[in-house]
Amino acid sequence: MPQPKLSPYIRIAWDNWASSLDWYVDRRVIFDYEIIYLESGELELVVEGTGYRVLPGDIILLRPKQHHSLRSVGNTLVHQPHIHFDLVEDEFSPHVYISFASLDEINPREYVLFRKDILDEFCPNLPPVLRLRKSKNIEGLLMAIIREKEKRMIHSDVLVNGLFLQLFATLMREVTLNSKDNDDHESWPNVAQQVRDILNESLDRDFSLEELSDRVHVSKYHLCRQFKQSFGVSPIQYHLDSRIDKAKELLLTTNMSISDIAETVGFQSIYSFSRAFKKRENVPPSIYRR
């Protein structure tokens, strides 16, 4: 099933400092999502009865209708830039507010304000606290959203949404690259990028998994797993898509014959090219050119 399309709505973007060393938020639920970057200080977070220690550099990700509480710990003032947002904007998005009530205190008429939780469709089983190897880029994007939201200049909403999409994609990528089941997580992104470079430089031929795995010295299984986690598709599908994209460009910008284009993008015959092109684009290359 394809992922839902993101159309974010950024409700609040705030560079927040706690008001005191004994700062806290009592047990509550929120209607939307919240991302908090802990820049300094230390927090105790409890989500649905489970406690978490939050340290500088950690990212808190809270979901709709999820009971949680926050409390500062130690002698350092808490600095926590954060945003409240919807992943998919709808007609209720402008009317949602920030809740500080528990679920049993929410008026039943307000239940319509709870955003649908679709986070698992992008990255399943995300914990509330994310400790990443590279979190400073997340902080930078978060602060860029906050600054742009504060400016309220013309087209700020467009820029904010674009920055959020970059932040969300970066966060999902970092979570994937940091997942515990990737024992070789330090090296495998480089393997996937090496294979991508090999494929991009050779749009005029076919590749087999055996050849690619030999080139980068990993097994076919690890190659497919690592490449798909980086780019969302298998290396063979990525290469086919790239060759078809190149063919589309040649069809629209040159007078080359379809048979010459087929040969240029590595197909043995015009028939195999037409079949692959139609399967991906739903029209044959001759119709696409028109």
Side-chain angles (χ1 to χ4, degrees):
M1 180 180 296
Q3 291 177 343
K5 290 187 177 181
L6 292 175
S7 55
Y9 181 89
I10 312 305
R11 184 161 291 106
I12 288 177
W14 193 15
D15 185 18
N16 177 250
W17 287 84
S19 56
S20 66
L21 291 176
D22 59 350
W23 176 87
Y24 66 92
V25 173
D26 274 338
R27 186 172 182 267
R28 65 166 182 171
V29 294
I30 53 177
F31 295 113
D32 54 1
Y33 297 92
E34 183 177 13
I35 287 176
I36 303 170
Y37 178 84
L38 187 60
E39 202 278 333
S40 65
E42 185 176 333
L43 291 172
E44 179 186 274
L45 169 70
V46 179
V47 178
E48 300 293 351
T50 300
Y52 301 86
R53 183 186 181 199
V54 189
L55 303 175
D58 288 351
I59 296 163
I60 299 173
L61 179 56
L62 300 172
R63 302 172 183 239
K65 207 182 286 188
Q66 190 179 60
H67 267 121
H68 63 273
S69 63
L70 281 163
R71 185 175 299 275
S72 61
V73 179
N75 297 316
T76 303
L77 203 61
V78 171
H79 181 202
Q80 48 171 355
H82 64 106
I83 57 173
H84 279 263
F85 59 94
D86 299 348
L87 285 173
V88 178
E89 183 178 359
D90 61 24
E91 66 272 22
F92 294 106
S93 292
H95 308 291
V96 174
Y97 55 89
I98 308 305
S99 166
F100 288 91
S102 62
L103 188 59
D104 56 359
E105 296 171 326
I106 298 291
N107 189 309
R109 291 193 298 268
E110 296 174 303
Y111 271 53
V112 69
L113 300 179
F114 281 112
R115 310 292 78 200
K116 183 180 179 182
D117 186 0
I118 58 173
L119 196 57
D120 285 342
E121 298 184 45
F122 296 93
C123 195
N125 305 315
L126 275 176
V129 177
L130 306 172
R131 187 162 293 162
L132 307 179
R133 290 175 298 131
K134 298 178 181 179
S135 60
K136 277 295 183 181
N137 51 352
I138 304 294
E139 180 191 17
L141 288 166
L142 192 58
M143 291 305 300
I145 290 172
I146 291 169
R147 287 192 295 268
E148 192 60 46
K149 194 78 171 171
E150 289 174 346
K151 289 179 184 177
R152 299 185 181 182
M153 294 178 65
I154 186 172
H155 303 314
S156 278
D157 287 346
V158 177
L159 285 170
V160 164
N161 285 353
L163 287 166
F164 175 83
L165 291 174
Q166 188 177 352
L167 181 148
F168 186 76
T170 301
L171 181 59
M172 295 301 103
R173 174 184 289 174
E174 287 299 316
V175 168
T176 301
L177 300 186
N178 280 267
S179 60
K180 292 182 179 179
D181 61 342
N182 294 315
D183 295 331
D184 54 346
H185 64 274
E186 291 289 347
S187 61
W188 71 251
N190 290 331
V191 170
Q193 290 164 12
Q194 287 177 42
V195 171
R196 180 197 59 184
D197 292 343
I198 291 170
L199 297 175
N200 287 343
E201 292 169 3
S202 306
L203 299 180
D204 58 347
R205 53 163 296 193
D206 277 322
F207 279 98
S208 67
L209 283 177
E210 289 82 0
E211 180 182 355
L212 291 171
S213 64
D214 287 344
R215 293 273 293 269
V216 294
H217 310 294
V218 299
S219 71
K220 291 188 293 183
Y221 168 76
H222 281 94
L223 171 57
C224 286
R225 180 167 67 96
Q226 294 166 7
F227 195 94
K228 190 167 185 178
Q229 286 180 325
S230 289
F231 301 111
V233 294
S234 71
I236 301 304
Q237 185 62 51
Y238 177 94
H239 194 222
L240 177 60
D241 290 344
S242 299
R243 292 158 68 199
I244 296 296
D245 285 341
K246 181 62 177 179
K248 289 164 60 179
E249 176 188 339
L250 294 173
L251 284 166
L252 294 176
T253 62
T254 75
N255 293 321
M256 293 173 63
S257 68
I258 292 177
S259 60
D260 286 344
I261 291 174
E263 183 178 352
T264 299
V265 294
F267 286 88
Q268 298 300 312
S269 71
I270 190 173
Y271 305 106
S272 60
F273 168 64
S274 295
R275 184 166 58 250
F277 191 98
K278 185 175 181 179
K279 183 176 181 180
R280 185 172 184 265
E281 301 297 324
N282 296 317
V283 293
S286 57
I287 299 298
Y288 184 87
R289 169 164 265 175
R290 296 176 189 173

